[in-house]
């Protein structure tokens, strides 16, 4: 047998087969047999699992971490809120200084920071250029919209997805934007299983794009916005060596704030 493909799409049941076929076509990847288990599948290194309302990504093989998906209604997302993780990010982007703050999340990833910002009342445009991550994000946003949970529906109504590179956003989508937010880092090193499996997946999908954060920061600093905010590991140097105006420090992360104009 030849080398495994990087990715295959798999319908968990026959009911999801048409969606899986469409995704495999649009992502230009293999379609795996319906219901195949990632631990038993050797023809690809990762499987994008399609079920009724969800996309989940899992590395193939035994002893690999479990699936990762975008679930804004999960207890993990609600815990972030209850644990006060929102406060530092909210302060960094300037929540409360202007009503209905408009933010571009230039590195949306799995959308957790965007969701936190939407929860704080901001309107958020999520930019994600990796087609697989963008597809997961879209599925997670659709699921939230259709959840029937009014709390979730209201938050997701403030979120809009742009599947593509933030640096290529058309100029009209940058009008009246207050803040550009960037999180180019991989999740922090931790023993928490949930973070470990996300990190494994991000590193697998994005292995060739480290260092790109610098170009995105240079682009962001040239836009007509009041602030550019960059999330960094607590003790890391400033991104691209560009000193921020000030930083908001947390235990594991720091938000570097580049103030370009007054907010509001
Ligand atoms: C570390 S993850 C961000 C995690 C995210 N903050 C969250 O809360 O889930 C970085 C993501 O940004 C994306 N990315 C990096 N540069 C980008 C750019 N210029 N435009 C769009 N997406 C970008 C990568 O594909 C990756 O999915």
């Amino acid at each position: 047998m030849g080398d495994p493909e990087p990715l295959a799409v798999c319908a968990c049941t026959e009911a999801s087969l048409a969606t899986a076929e469409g995704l495999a076509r649009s992502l230009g990847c293999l379609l795996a047999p319906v219901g195949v288990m990632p631990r038993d599948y050797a023809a690809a290194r990762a499987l994008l699992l399609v079920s009724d309302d969800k996309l989940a990504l899992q590395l193939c093989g035994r002893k690999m971490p479990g699936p990762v998906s975008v679930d804004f209604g999960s207890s993990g997302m609600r815990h972030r809120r209850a644990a006060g993780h929102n406060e530092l990010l909210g302060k960094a982007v300037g929540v409360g200084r202007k009503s209905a703050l408009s933010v571009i999340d230039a590195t949306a990833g799995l959308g957790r920071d965007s969701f936190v910002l939407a929860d704080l009342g901001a309107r958020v445009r999520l930019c994600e250029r990796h087609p697989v991550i963008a597809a997961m994000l879209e599925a997670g946003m659709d699921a939230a919209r259709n959840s029937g949970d009014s709390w979730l529906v209201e938050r997701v109504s403030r979120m809009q997805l742009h599947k593509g590179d933030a640096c290529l956003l058309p100029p009209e989508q940058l009008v009246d934007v207050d803040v550009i937010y960037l999180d180019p880092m991989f999740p922090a090193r931790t023993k928490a299983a949930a973070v470990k499996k996300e990190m494994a997946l991000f590193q697998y999908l994005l292995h060739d794009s480290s260092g790109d954060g610098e170009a995105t920061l240079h682009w962001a600093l040239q836009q007509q916005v009041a602030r550019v905010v960059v999330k960094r590991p607590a003790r890391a140097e400033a991104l691209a060596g560009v000193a921020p105006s000030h930083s908001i420090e947390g235990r594991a992360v720091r938000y570097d704030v580049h103030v370009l104009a007054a907010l509001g």
Side-chain angles (χ1 to χ4, degrees):
M1 201 167 110
D3 285 344
E5 293 284 319
L7 179 75
V9 180
C10 169
C12 295
T13 63
E14 291 289 342
S16 309
L17 185 55
T19 312
E21 283 170 343
L23 263 171
R25 250 193 321 276
S26 69
L27 296 170
C29 64
L30 207 67
L31 184 68
V34 174
V36 77
M37 301 299 280
R39 67 166 184 270
D40 302 327
Y41 193 62
R45 294 193 51 214
L47 270 180
L48 188 59
L49 304 159
V50 186
S51 58
D52 296 343
D53 60 347
K54 206 155 143 189
L55 286 186
L57 188 65
Q58 186 166 359
L59 293 173
C60 297
R62 288 175 192 273
K63 296 198 179 154
M64 285 302 189
V68 167
S69 60
V70 175
D71 181 358
F72 295 119
S74 69
S75 55
M77 286 305 301
R78 289 178 203 257
H79 170 77
R80 270 165 98 88
R81 184 173 201 258
H85 290 310
N86 306 5
E87 284 164 26
L88 296 180
L89 177 55
K91 200 167 163 192
V93 298
V95 164
R97 287 175 173 258
K98 186 185 169 193
S99 62
L101 202 68
S102 164
V103 180
I104 287 184
D105 181 347
T107 57
L110 299 176
R112 291 153 304 187
D113 289 333
S114 286
F115 187 78
V116 164
L117 290 165
D119 184 30
L120 291 168
R123 284 178 290 120
V124 189
R125 185 175 298 278
L126 297 82
C127 300
E128 177 49 57
R129 68 181 173 196
H130 194 291
V132 175
I133 302 176
M136 291 168 71
L137 206 43
E138 186 171 44
M141 288 171 66
D142 285 347
R145 260 182 227 113
N146 299 325
S147 63
D149 174 339
S150 56
W151 181 84
L152 208 50
V153 172
E154 200 226 324
R155 266 107 199 123
V156 84
S157 73
R158 291 195 279 275
M159 297 163 65
Q160 257 199 324
L161 177 62
H162 171 80
K163 294 174 161 182
D165 197 312
C167 307
L168 300 176
L169 270 176
E172 63 272 16
Q173 295 199 10
L174 283 149
V175 174
D176 293 335
V177 171
D178 299 301
V179 181
I180 298 179
Y181 173 69
L182 257 77
D183 168 17
M185 69 179 196
F186 291 118
R189 251 185 248 172
T190 157
K191 292 200 173 75
V195 175
K196 271 190 179 165
K197 66 183 182 182
E198 281 174 20
M199 192 159 68
L201 277 170
F202 268 126
Q203 285 176 343
Y204 170 63
L205 288 176
L206 306 169
H207 57 92
D208 57 352
S209 61
S210 56
D212 277 9
E214 301 199 357
T216 310
L217 175 63
H218 291 306
W219 163 81
L221 290 172
Q222 283 163 16
Q223 307 311 311
Q224 304 281 316
V225 295
R227 291 182 179 198
V228 174
V229 175
V230 186
K231 187 179 188 179
R232 301 293 289 153
R235 280 179 284 279
E237 289 176 4
L239 184 61
V242 183
S245 315
H246 62 271
S247 298
I248 310 280
E249 317 250 355
R251 217 158 23 95
V253 299
R254 185 184 81 225
Y255 295 98
D256 285 349
V257 184
H258 300 263
V259 175
L260 307 180
L263 260 178

